Amino acid sequence: MIKLALIILGAILLTILIVWLIDKFIPTKAKPFITIALWALIAYLGFLTFNSVYGEIKFNQLKEKRYRAAIERLVDIRDSQLAHRTVTGKFTKSYDTLIKFIENGKFTLIDRRDSTVIDVEATKRYGGVTTTKEIVITDTIGFEPVKNRLFKGTDRYKQMMNVPLGKEGTKFTMNAGEIEDEKGNKIPVFEAFVKKSDILFDQDKNLVLKESQVISVEGVNGDALRVGSMDEVKTIGNWPKTYGSNE
């Protein structure tokens, strides 16, 4: 769009030059009609220039508003998935399962304390000389509902799968599974994402295409808003910190 604005600006300057040349070399009787037509063209090109630049400004404002709303729900999905892994040891690809977990799941509250005890093996090894060692004692002291910790008693988690302000009926795609590390250990992974084209479904197609090709430290890279990954062990989002925490 900036390139287009520069082209239009060049056309305006060229038209102004033509007006000056006409004023200098065209017969007096023909000047008013040609001059009016050219000034009308200048006004039209000026309107196109303003509209192209202002249109991109409005697009960016709307984009940021919709991205922020979508990111809030991606964060809810991530926090819920991390809680699910903490309690069950794995992620889930089902929103129904995740919602039931939020409503019924509980974190185990553990108390850890250091203690000193006699090291029997070391005591024997050193001929009966009493030897001690440090250990950590853990005790279960209670349970905390997942819903209370993550959502403070609200029920917004029931809407976390729906993309806000986007194309009607659009949901975040969510996957979960396992990948193997170099030692062959299976590690749980998950991802949730939505295409930018679904968030910006009603906007200028050229601007949406340009946004889908963004590669920038200040922008959301790629063609989707995404958190997590099915290919590597990470739970961060692909948005910059200007949109909020992605960790």
Side-chain angles (χ1 to χ4, degrees):
M1 276 302 191
I2 298 299
K3 186 176 181 180
L4 175 60
L6 291 175
I7 293 173
I8 295 174
L9 183 59
I12 291 174
L13 294 175
L14 179 60
T15 305
I16 293 174
L17 176 62
I18 293 172
V19 169
W20 179 81
L21 291 173
I22 289 173
D23 184 62
K24 195 168 184 66
F25 299 107
I26 296 298
T28 304
K29 289 183 179 181
K31 283 182 181 179
F33 303 103
I34 296 175
T35 302
I36 290 172
L38 287 174
W39 278 115
L41 178 59
I42 290 173
Y44 176 68
L45 291 174
F47 169 77
L48 290 180
T49 302
F50 171 80
N51 200 48
S52 64
V53 174
Y54 185 59
E56 189 161 0
I57 292 174
K58 289 197 300 181
F59 172 82
N60 287 329
Q61 290 174 341
L62 179 141
K63 174 195 72 178
E64 290 186 8
K65 178 181 178 181
R66 293 187 182 181
Y67 279 10
R68 289 182 189 281
I71 287 169
E72 285 180 2
R73 294 198 175 172
L74 284 172
V75 169
D76 280 344
I77 292 173
R78 178 186 61 198
D79 291 347
S80 300
Q81 284 279 25
L82 290 174
H84 189 276
R85 186 191 62 180
T86 297
V87 175
T88 70
K90 59 184 180 181
F91 296 118
T92 177
K93 63 178 66 174
S94 166
Y95 282 115
D96 288 340
T97 299
L98 197 55
I99 287 173
K100 288 179 181 177
F101 165 75
I102 293 169
E103 292 178 337
N104 303 310
K106 294 181 180 181
F107 290 111
T108 301
L109 303 179
I110 302 226
D111 177 53
R112 290 183 173 86
R113 63 182 187 279
D114 296 329
S115 182
T116 302
V117 297
I118 294 175
D119 188 332
V120 177
E121 293 298 325
T123 298
K124 289 181 180 179
R125 191 164 53 248
Y126 293 118
V129 178
T130 301
T131 305
T132 61
K133 62 180 179 180
E134 299 293 325
I135 63 170
V136 177
I137 298 175
T138 60
D139 293 317
T140 298
I141 59 175
F143 300 90
E144 179 184 9
V146 171
K147 180 179 176 181
N148 288 355
R149 181 183 296 185
L150 297 187
F151 298 100
K152 309 302 180 186
T154 69
D155 64 354
R156 73 174 190 272
Y157 62 89
K158 294 181 179 179
Q159 297 297 322
M160 65 184 173
M161 73 291 295
N162 298 318
V163 178
L165 307 178
K167 189 175 182 180
E168 186 175 356
T170 302
K171 297 182 182 297
F172 294 99
T173 299
M174 186 171 71
N175 295 311
E178 296 178 329
I179 60 174
E180 287 190 3
D181 63 14
E182 296 177 352
K183 297 181 180 180
N185 299 313
K186 292 187 179 296
I187 302 174
V189 292
F190 88 97
E191 71 173 357
F193 66 89
V194 60
K195 293 287 187 180
K196 291 179 177 178
S197 57
D198 286 331
I199 296 176
L200 305 169
F201 70 99
D202 56 353
Q203 298 302 296
D204 183 284
K205 300 303 179 185
N206 291 324
L207 290 175
V208 174
L209 178 61
K210 179 182 176 182
E211 174 62 23
S212 296
Q213 298 171 342
V214 165
I215 299 177
S216 167
V217 295
E218 297 179 353
V220 178
N221 292 335
D223 65 349
L225 267 71
R226 186 183 306 273
V227 67
S229 171
M230 293 299 292
D231 302 315
E232 55 184 314
V233 181
K234 69 176 185 180
T235 59
I236 62 174
N238 68 334
W239 55 87
K241 289 185 178 181
T242 53
Y243 284 100
S245 175
N246 65 356
E247 299 177 356

